Amino acid sequence: MWDSTMFLSTLTPKFYVALTGTSSLISGMILIFEWWYFRKYGASFIEQVSLNHISPWISGADSNSENNSSSNGSNGASTSGSSTNGNAGSSTVGAASGQQTVPECKVWRNPLNLFRGSEYQRFYWAANKEPLTYYDMNLSAQDHQTFFTCEGDAGKKEYELMQTAWRERNPSARIKAAHEALEINPECTPALILLADEEATTILEAEKILRSALKTAESNYRKSQQNQHQGLSMECTHRRDTNVLIYVKRRLAMCARKLGRNKEAVKMFRDLTKEVPPIMHVLNVHENLIEALLEMQAYADVQAVLAKYDDISLPKSATICYTAALLKARLVADKFSPDIASKKGLTAAEMTAVEAIHRAVEFNPHVPKYLLEMKSLILPPEHILKRGDSEALSYAFFHIGHWKAVDGALNLLHCTWEGTFRMLPYPLERGHLFYPYPTCTECADRELLPAFHDVSVYPKKELPFFILFTAGLCSFTAVLALLTHQYPDNMGTIARSVLSWLTLPFTFILERLEGTVPSNLLQSLSRV
């Protein structure tokens, strides 16, 4: 005790300044290194060392198996990222090639949009909540005006009525305008489309109206086809009639799917995918075909469709990415065990499935919470935003049953999807497989989704504890260095007092030992 007191009394203020300054410098270097490592690899270096090396050594577990599994996961993500570039909407960025472009938040028409009268309206009657926002319905009105009207309709009273009908906010006003158009021209197919969508209260009624619309649409298509080369106006009319015919066929196929006639629906969707008019690029009928084939559990046919549309040059979607993950998970999900995977590592098939899940989650991170029922579903909107909450809602609403039909698929998704965020280095700035996640999706989703829905936002990664701890330690030592430099005598006194307080318990224990243990024993131990 006397030696330590004498040692502390001989220390000069310069020693304390040098000590605190050195400590502050070391803490700052550690903080800078931790921050750089986190920005590059998305994890804390100290945390990784403690988890992968120190913890297995303390617990006696086999660290090799854990290292293998963790390295396999990270290698899988980086391997796929080096050979795959994704795109969505109208803008693409190759993450591997390093060409960074600001992605555009483009709103797409929902390929699986519901019927307003027989589905959305029934929800309103039951819950007294508006399932569609005015912004969403206004986008639909613009779509209908683009698809179902043209310059050749000038002077035609029935089509002028339909142009105003799409813009009406009141459903009864839209239905009334459609009836007036049919009174003028019983072959006004856009009016029949509106009545099937909004006036019919059941899918059977909607299908009945659409069948009569199909007859008039085919008749109008044949008439305009004969005259399409007689002028610009006739070409526009023929293009409009083509859009109407394809739209009616698609809605009829959707009715067949909803009524359980899956084979008929698949045939109609297959026929539609062979069409090439511009409207086909907007409707994305292949997503309807994928969903219908999944309902039939025709997984080989689904794989064939994915092979055609999951191409590097084509826009991606949640349907494409998550369906590809489901097909790969189906091969291993029933035998997958997290405990065995953590001890022995992942097999080649399991690694392929995990990579596919990581790819899907990186494209749209909102889907897993809906599939795992961690967040409640609502009716999907009529328009979706790629990689946004609106797309996740639409996908999960129609595909959650397909995931449940594959034994163990949801369990594999639950065990692996969160690991994607630990592998992605700041996904808002860059990604492995796709361009950086757009920050504008939240604003657009709030416009598309009803107010009663809690919009899901991108789960930002939190700073690891060790980075926060190092930052606090660096700041504390820097303050100590500044105080010691300004007030060396006072800080020396405080340091001696703190050290004496810290050594007080040991001094007390030593004095108790000296009082209870014979002195000759302590002398003998000191000699040893």
Side-chain angles (χ1 to χ4, degrees):
M1 180 65 183
W2 180 81
D3 293 337
S4 61
T5 304
M6 183 177 180
F7 172 74
L8 291 173
S9 63
T10 58
L11 296 178
T12 62
K14 293 183 179 180
F15 170 80
Y16 294 106
V17 173
L19 178 64
T20 52
T22 305
S23 301
S24 178
L25 177 63
I26 294 173
S27 300
M29 293 175 63
I30 295 174
L31 176 62
I32 293 172
F33 175 76
E34 276 282 287
W35 181 255
W36 169 82
Y37 192 89
F38 180 74
R39 288 294 298 267
K40 186 173 182 180
Y41 299 104
S44 167
F45 174 77
I46 300 176
E47 185 178 5
Q48 290 295 311
V49 171
S50 61
L51 290 176
N52 296 333
H53 301 284
I54 300 177
S55 296
W57 178 74
I58 294 176
S59 61
D62 184 9
S63 62
N64 293 330
S65 63
E66 295 183 10
N67 291 338
N68 291 337
S69 62
S70 62
S71 63
N72 287 341
S74 59
N75 291 338
S78 60
T79 301
S80 350
S82 62
S83 60
T84 306
N85 294 333
N87 55 10
S90 59
S91 56
T92 61
V93 172
S97 62
Q99 297 177 355
Q100 296 288 324
T101 309
V102 178
E104 177 188 358
C105 286
K106 181 179 179 180
V107 176
W108 294 74
R109 189 167 181 86
N110 188 356
L112 298 166
N113 62 313
L114 304 175
F115 287 81
R116 287 187 183 179
S118 54
E119 291 173 307
Y120 287 121
Q121 188 66 25
R122 293 171 73 87
F123 172 81
Y124 176 76
W125 293 336
N128 198 25
K129 294 180 179 179
E130 289 288 351
L132 297 175
T133 63
Y134 174 69
Y135 175 74
D136 189 18
M137 291 190 291
N138 186 49
L139 290 177
S140 297
Q142 296 176 15
D143 292 340
H144 294 153
Q145 286 179 309
T146 303
F147 296 156
F148 308 143
T149 60
C150 65
E151 297 177 358
D153 296 335
K156 298 180 181 179
K157 182 64 175 178
E158 67 274 17
Y159 287 101
E160 292 178 353
L161 277 173
M162 291 307 303
Q163 286 183 359
T164 59
W166 303 122
R167 295 193 297 265
E168 290 287 348
R169 296 190 62 177
N170 191 352
S172 59
R174 293 194 294 270
I175 294 172
K176 180 181 178 182
H179 281 294
E180 292 177 357
L182 285 175
E183 290 177 0
I184 299 173
N185 180 9
E187 293 187 351
C188 183
T189 314
L192 292 172
I193 291 175
L194 189 147
L195 294 179
D197 192 40
E198 301 201 29
E199 187 179 41
T201 56
T202 64
I203 298 298
L204 283 172
E205 293 179 14
E207 184 182 36
K208 182 179 179 180
I209 298 175
L210 286 171
R211 288 193 183 280
S212 60
L214 179 62
K215 295 179 181 178
T216 58
E218 290 175 340
S219 176
N220 293 334
Y221 174 80
R222 286 191 294 267
K223 292 178 183 177
S224 61
Q225 189 178 29
Q226 297 174 357
N227 303 322
Q228 62 176 318
H229 301 297
Q230 296 182 7
L232 181 62
S233 175
M234 297 305 298
E235 288 184 4
C236 292
T237 301
H238 178 66
R239 189 182 307 116
R240 188 273 314 279
D241 291 339
T242 303
N243 293 341
V244 169
L245 179 61
I246 292 176
Y247 188 88
V248 171
K249 287 182 177 180
R250 173 177 170 269
R251 288 306 250 179
L252 274 172
M254 294 176 70
C255 288
R257 166 65 186 93
K258 293 175 185 294
L259 295 173
R261 303 197 304 270
N262 295 321
K263 291 184 178 180
E264 178 184 346
V266 166
K267 183 181 182 304
M268 297 176 72
F269 286 135
R270 283 191 188 278
D271 294 338
L272 284 172
T273 55
K274 299 174 184 177
E275 303 286 345
V276 291
I279 189 177
M280 297 303 299
H281 301 296
V282 179
L283 297 181
N284 290 323
V285 179
H286 62 275
E287 297 194 11
N288 298 90
L289 177 59
I290 289 174
E291 196 278 329
L293 288 172
L294 285 173
E295 179 66 20
M296 297 173 61
Q297 297 187 359
Y299 298 113
D301 293 335
V302 175
Q303 185 62 57
V305 176
L306 285 179
K308 180 180 180 182
Y309 290 97
D310 193 4
D311 186 79
I312 188 174
S313 62
L314 297 177
K316 298 295 179 290
S317 66
T319 300
I320 290 176
C321 293
Y322 278 90
T323 302
L326 176 62
L327 294 183
K328 290 179 173 61
R330 173 177 166 268
L331 303 176
V332 298
D334 57 338
K335 299 178 181 178
F336 177 78
S337 173
D339 297 333
I340 296 176
S342 62
K343 293 178 181 178
K344 298 183 179 181
L346 297 173
T347 64
E350 289 174 342
M351 179 55 61
T352 302
V354 171
E355 289 176 8
I357 291 176
H358 286 172
R359 171 181 181 255
V361 174
E362 182 182 346
F363 180 81
N364 193 320
H366 311 293
V367 174
K369 286 190 175 181
Y370 292 111
L371 291 179
L372 298 172
E373 300 182 75
M374 301 167 64
K375 193 172 181 182
S376 58
L377 285 169
I378 62 170
L379 295 183
E382 293 183 337
H383 289 80
I384 58 175
L385 188 68
K386 294 289 184 72
R387 308 185 75 180
D389 190 33
S390 52
E391 184 192 32
L393 264 172
S394 179
Y395 173 81
F397 185 86
F398 293 101
H399 288 262
I400 187 172
H402 307 322
W403 280 80
K404 291 182 177 180
V406 177
D407 187 25
L410 289 176
N411 177 49
L412 179 60
L413 177 67
H414 176 72
C415 295
T416 57
W417 77 274
E418 291 182 338
T420 301
F421 301 110
R422 290 192 291 270
M423 297 180 184
L424 288 178
Y426 269 73
L428 292 177
E429 299 176 8
R430 62 178 181 267
H432 282 313
L433 310 177
F434 302 97
Y435 60 77
Y437 185 82
T439 56
C440 58
T441 55
E442 181 179 353
C443 297
D445 279 332
R446 293 190 186 280
E447 294 287 340
L448 289 172
L449 297 171
F452 59 83
H453 174 69
D454 183 19
V455 176
S456 177
V457 297
Y458 195 94
K460 299 179 182 179
K461 294 199 300 186
E462 298 180 356
L463 289 176
F465 166 75
F466 286 104
I467 288 185
L468 299 176
F469 175 77
T470 307
L473 181 63
C474 178
S475 302
F476 178 70
T477 53
V479 171
L480 282 181
L482 179 63
L483 292 176
T484 304
H485 183 266
Q486 293 293 330
Y487 312 101
D489 296 331
N490 295 335
M491 292 301 295
T493 304
I494 293 173
R496 285 191 289 270
S497 301
V498 171
L499 288 176
S500 62
W501 291 341
L502 294 175
T503 57
L504 186 60
F506 301 100
T507 304
F508 176 76
I509 294 174
L510 184 59
E511 291 176 353
R512 298 288 294 182
L513 288 175
E514 290 177 351
T516 55
V517 179
S519 59
N520 56 356
L521 178 61
L522 293 176
Q523 292 175 359
S524 301
L525 292 174
S526 63
R527 291 172 185 173
V528 173

